[in-house]
């Protein structure tokens, strides 16, 4: 099944949970008493933020935008289940590594306090396989709920809350596809330059839309 967050040139978003455990071990090696992993992996000045981003192949887990398009500092660490949820008794309980997700600023701020319940958690968790079954790309490269996803209010609610169907997410996908193709054509100067020009035009359009 295709993952709507990646182009044909992107590394598959698989094995995230295991890679996140490695990030946790990296934190614990230097800070044995650490409980709230968010404190460490959300700090742009530490190696842990880079390692956490690497676990996601430097891509937003929700929309798929990558570091090829937006700077490292604009990636944030989201509490998948909101840290103010009644499911947690303390801030450190919400900051466990399995509850942290790499998100672009747009997705993180849009998601905000969206309620992830025990019932919809597996469907929405971007570290797991179900999210790929619930969202896809249509023929125009927009993110859309899949046929099965349309039947679930939690899926459509999440889709609307994060504005996953927005034009900017479509442009991101197109630009990342072009960047991947450009890398594949690095030995063909004419095509490489033409793609560079097209990529720059779309990047400028994206930047204007994100202001």
């Amino acid at each position: 099944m295709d993952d709507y967050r990646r182009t044909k040139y992107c590394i598959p978003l698989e094995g995230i949970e295991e890679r996140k455990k490695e990030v946790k071990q990296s934190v614990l090696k230097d800070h044995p008493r650490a409980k709230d992993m968010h404190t460490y992996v959300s700090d742009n000045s530490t190696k842990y933020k880079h390692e956490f981003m690497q676990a996601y192949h430097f891509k937003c887990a929700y929309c798929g935008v990558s570091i090829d398009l937006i700077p490292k500092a604009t990636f944030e660490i989201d509490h998948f289940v909101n840290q103010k949820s009644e499911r947690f008794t303390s801030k450190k309980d919400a900051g466990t590594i399995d509850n942290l997700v790499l998100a672009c600023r747009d997705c993180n701020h849009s998601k905000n306090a969206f309620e992830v319940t025990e019932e919809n958690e597996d469907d929405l968790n971007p570290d797991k396989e179900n999210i790929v079954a619930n969202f896809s790309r249509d023929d125009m490269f927009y993110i859309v709920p899949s046929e099965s996803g349309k039947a679930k209010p939690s899926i459509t609610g999440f889709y609307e809350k994060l504005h996953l169907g927005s034009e900017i997410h479509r442009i991101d996908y197109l630009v990342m596809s072009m960047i991947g193709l450009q890398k594949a054509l690095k030995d063909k100067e004419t095509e490489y330059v033409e793609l560079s020009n097209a990529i720059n035009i779309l990047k400028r359009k994206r930047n204007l839309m994100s202001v």
Side-chain angles (χ1 to χ4, degrees), residues 155-171:
I155 298 299
T156 55
F158 187 79
Y159 176 79
E160 293 168 2
K161 180 72 172 173
L162 271 69
H163 310 293
L164 289 178
S166 71
E167 180 70 17
I168 197 166
H169 293 320
R170 175 177 181 258
I171 290 176

Side-chain angles (χ1 to χ4, degrees), residues 165-178:
S166 71
E167 180 70 17
I168 197 166
H169 293 320
R170 175 177 181 258
I171 290 176
D172 287 346
Y173 182 84
L174 293 171
V175 175
M176 289 189 297
S177 296
M178 293 165 71

Side-chain angles (χ1 to χ4, degrees), residues 20 36-38 41-42 49 52 56 60-62 74-84 88 94-114 116 124-127 158 162:
K20 284 166 61 173
D36 182 7
M37 292 292 126
H38 185 270
V41 301
S42 63
K49 172 73 175 287
F52 193 83
Y56 284 89
C60 173
Y62 298 121
T74 59
F75 280 95
E76 300 178 344
I77 311 302
D78 175 48
H79 290 86
F80 175 58
V81 178
N82 190 275
Q83 59 183 326
K84 295 181 180 179
F88 302 120
T96 58
I97 200 71
D98 58 311
N99 191 45
L100 303 181
V101 169
L102 184 67
C104 68
R105 185 172 292 164
D106 287 343
C107 283
N108 193 27
H109 289 205
S110 295
K111 178 173 173 282
N112 194 12
F114 181 90
V116 175
L124 297 174
N125 192 327
D127 294 354
F158 187 79
L162 271 69

Side-chain angles (χ1 to χ4, degrees), residues 62-79:
Y62 298 121
C63 74
V65 68
S66 79
I67 201 171
D68 286 334
L69 292 184
I70 61 175
K72 175 183 177 180
T74 59
F75 280 95
E76 300 178 344
I77 311 302
D78 175 48
H79 290 86

